[in-house]
């Protein structure tokens, strides 16, 4: 027998549930220091860092990590819980040989082991899309099913393909966040007429469009353009700007920014908030919409969006900085 993994699939995440074959591994995960659930701490350093066990140090305490827990069930019907903020009485903790079942959980998921796996119960509730909404794992012969819950077996959980480490399968399951994002990405690419994009590029296009859609001021424009150029391909960015009619900073200026334009432009230049591809996007958009209001020629050069400024920026190097000291941020 070997470890088996299944997944609790919710609308926003897939949570791994591991059926452990080794009792030793399960006990270490749950009760042994250094395995992530419990650690020894000493008053010698103010209980700040994990330490090795020292029986002469009577101030030492065994502490459970704040996002972990473990349930130890003994062969004589007893129970010992290891939970954050609860004192762990080491003298009462059952030894490995005494355990009949061990259930462990942390921020990464769940794992369990049992002498009799038929006594492990998984209870879930489902949302309107058939995805798991709430869940719990229990052990015992007489477990109660609460209103709205159904009991399922470990094998009823989703079995992910071993090579699908990116979890691309979630984009094919209705109701998941990835499924909704994929549909939105396909729709946006179709509306924009960008038929050359593959699935991954359409998802990038969706993200860039949403970032551009969040621009509420000239300052937002410069910050957004500066940041997305490091995360996305220029071809994707240009397509998104063309689709969203994102031409230049002037179209996003707020009244208070217009009144302080000259002062703010100095700050923009100071922090290098002037993407080199702004003019290209404006020129592409101008070809599609001749009547669009653009900043071109001398005006573009003065505001840091023209070619001379772009070339200077490339020579001097890029980089984003914090908001100007003492300046109000809009948007």
């Amino acid at each position: 027998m070997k470890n088996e993994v299944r997944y609790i699939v919710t609308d926003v995440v897939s949570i791994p549930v591991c059926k452990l074959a080794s009792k030793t591994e399960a006990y270490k995960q749950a009760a042994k220091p250094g395995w992530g659930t419990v650690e020894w701490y000493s008053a010698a350093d103010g209980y700040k860092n994990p330490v090795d066990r020292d029986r002469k140090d009577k101030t030492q305490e065994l502490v459970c990590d704040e996002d972990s827990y473990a349930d130890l069930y003994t062969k004589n019907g007893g129970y010992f819980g290891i939970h954050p903020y609860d004192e762990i009485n080491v003298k009462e903790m059952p030894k490995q040989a005494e355990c009949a079942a061990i259930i462990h959980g942390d921020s990464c998921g769940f794992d369990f082991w049992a002498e009799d796996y038929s006594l492990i119960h998984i209870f879930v509730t489902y949302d309107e899309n058939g995805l798991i909404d709430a869940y719990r794992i229990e052990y015992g012969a007489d477990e109660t099913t609460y209103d709205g819950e159904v009991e399922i077996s470990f094998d009823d959980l989703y079995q992910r393909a071993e090579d699908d480490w990116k979890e691309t399968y979630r984009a094919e399951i209705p109701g998941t966040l990835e499924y909704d994002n994929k549909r939105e990405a396909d729709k946006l690419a179709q509306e924009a007429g960008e038929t050359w994009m593959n699935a991954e590029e359409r998802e990038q296009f969706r993200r860039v469009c949403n970032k551009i859609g969040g621009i509420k001021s000239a300052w937002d424009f410069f910050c957004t353009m500066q940041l997305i150029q490091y995360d996305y391909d220029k071809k994707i960015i240009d397509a998104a700007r063309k689709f969203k009619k994102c031409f230049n900073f002037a179209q996003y200026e707020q009244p208070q920014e217009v009144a302080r334009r000259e002062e703010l432009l100095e700050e923009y230049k100071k922090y290098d908030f002037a993407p080199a591809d702004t003019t290209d996007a404006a020129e592409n958009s101008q070809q599609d919409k001749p009547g669009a209001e653009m900043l071109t020629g001398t005006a573009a050069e003065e505001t840091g969006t023209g070619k001379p400024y772009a070339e200077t920026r490339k020579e001097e190097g890029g980089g984003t900085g914090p908001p100007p000291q003492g300046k109000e941020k809009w948007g």
Side-chain angles (χ1 to χ4, degrees):
M1 182 178 176
K2 63 179 182 178
N3 294 347
E4 298 180 66
V5 181
R6 297 288 190 276
Y7 294 84
I8 293 173
V9 178
T10 74
D11 56 347
V12 296
V13 70
S14 291
I15 303 166
V17 179
C18 184
K19 181 179 181 181
L20 297 174
S22 168
K23 180 180 182 180
T24 299
E25 180 181 353
Y27 191 80
K28 286 180 178 179
Q29 293 271 30
K32 288 293 184 179
W35 286 76
T37 303
V38 297
E39 297 286 356
W40 284 106
Y41 288 85
S42 171
D45 72 341
Y47 299 99
K48 294 179 181 179
N49 303 296
V51 298
D52 294 331
R53 176 69 163 130
D54 180 2
R55 297 183 185 278
K56 295 180 181 179
D57 184 355
K58 302 305 180 182
T59 70
Q60 282 192 327
E61 297 178 1
L62 191 63
V63 178
C64 178
D65 185 74
E66 64 181 8
D67 68 349
S68 301
Y69 79 90
D71 296 322
L72 307 181
Y73 299 88
T74 61
K75 296 178 180 180
N76 62 6
Y79 167 79
F80 187 86
I82 300 175
H83 300 98
Y85 315 114
D86 291 344
E87 182 180 356
I88 300 176
N89 190 331
V90 179
K91 294 181 179 179
E92 295 182 2
M93 182 186 293
K95 300 186 183 322
Q96 178 179 322
E98 300 175 284
C99 294
I102 300 170
I103 298 175
H104 165 258
D106 58 25
S107 58
C108 296
F110 301 89
D111 54 75
F112 63 86
W113 170 89
E115 289 183 337
D116 182 356
Y117 285 105
S118 68
L119 297 179
I120 295 289
H121 304 280
I122 302 175
F123 300 100
V124 302
T125 60
Y126 292 101
D127 63 18
E128 63 275 10
N129 295 304
L131 301 174
I132 293 176
D133 185 44
Y135 49 86
R136 60 187 177 96
I137 301 177
E138 305 289 348
Y139 171 82
D142 300 309
E143 289 299 318
T144 302
T145 302
Y146 298 111
D147 289 344
E149 286 186 333
V150 295
E151 181 175 357
I152 63 174
S153 72
F154 175 76
D155 291 331
D156 291 330
L157 296 173
Y158 193 93
Q159 185 174 8
R160 185 178 67 177
E162 292 183 4
D163 58 347
D164 194 2
W165 59 274
K166 287 187 176 181
E167 296 189 342
T168 57
Y169 67 91
R170 289 181 56 84
E172 306 303 324
I173 302 176
T176 63
L177 179 63
E178 290 81 358
Y179 180 86
D180 293 340
N181 287 345
K182 181 177 183 294
R183 295 186 66 186
E184 180 187 358
D186 292 344
K187 180 181 178 181
L188 286 174
Q190 183 177 12
E191 291 177 354
E194 303 293 353
T195 58
W196 52 271
M197 296 180 184
N198 58 31
E200 184 175 349
E201 290 168 329
R202 289 195 295 273
E203 172 58 19
Q204 290 187 29
F205 181 71
R206 182 192 69 82
R207 295 185 182 185
V208 175
C209 284
N210 287 343
K211 290 180 183 296
I212 291 175
I215 297 175
K216 303 300 182 184
S217 68
W219 176 263
D220 285 350
F221 171 84
F222 280 111
C223 290
T224 300
M225 293 300 108
Q226 185 78 358
L227 293 174
I228 65 176
Q229 68 175 325
Y230 295 109
D231 296 327
Y232 302 97
D233 184 85
K234 184 176 183 298
K235 191 176 181 181
I236 298 290
I237 297 173
D238 286 347
R241 293 183 65 182
K242 178 181 177 182
F243 176 61
K244 300 295 288 186
K245 296 180 174 58
C246 175
F247 307 141
N248 50 60
F249 83 96
Q251 71 187 92
Y252 297 101
E253 275 188 318
Q254 297 299 304
Q256 56 268 54
E257 289 179 306
V258 175
R260 297 174 53 213
R261 175 180 288 184
E262 291 185 5
E263 180 184 354
L264 290 173
L265 285 176
E266 290 302 317
E267 295 292 350
Y268 296 150
K269 292 179 181 180
K270 177 181 176 181
Y271 290 99
D272 207 10
F273 278 4
D277 61 340
T278 304
T279 302
D280 296 336
E283 290 175 353
N284 291 338
S285 302
Q286 195 173 31
Q287 292 175 2
D288 294 334
K289 190 174 181 180
E293 184 177 348
M294 306 290 173
L295 285 184
T296 58
T298 304
E301 294 170 16
E302 291 176 352
T303 57
T305 60
K307 184 176 180 181
Y309 187 86
E311 291 176 348
T312 301
R313 182 179 180 279
K314 289 181 179 179
E315 292 172 0
E316 296 178 351
T320 182
Q325 294 291 330
K327 305 301 180 189
E328 181 181 3
K329 180 180 178 182
W330 300 283

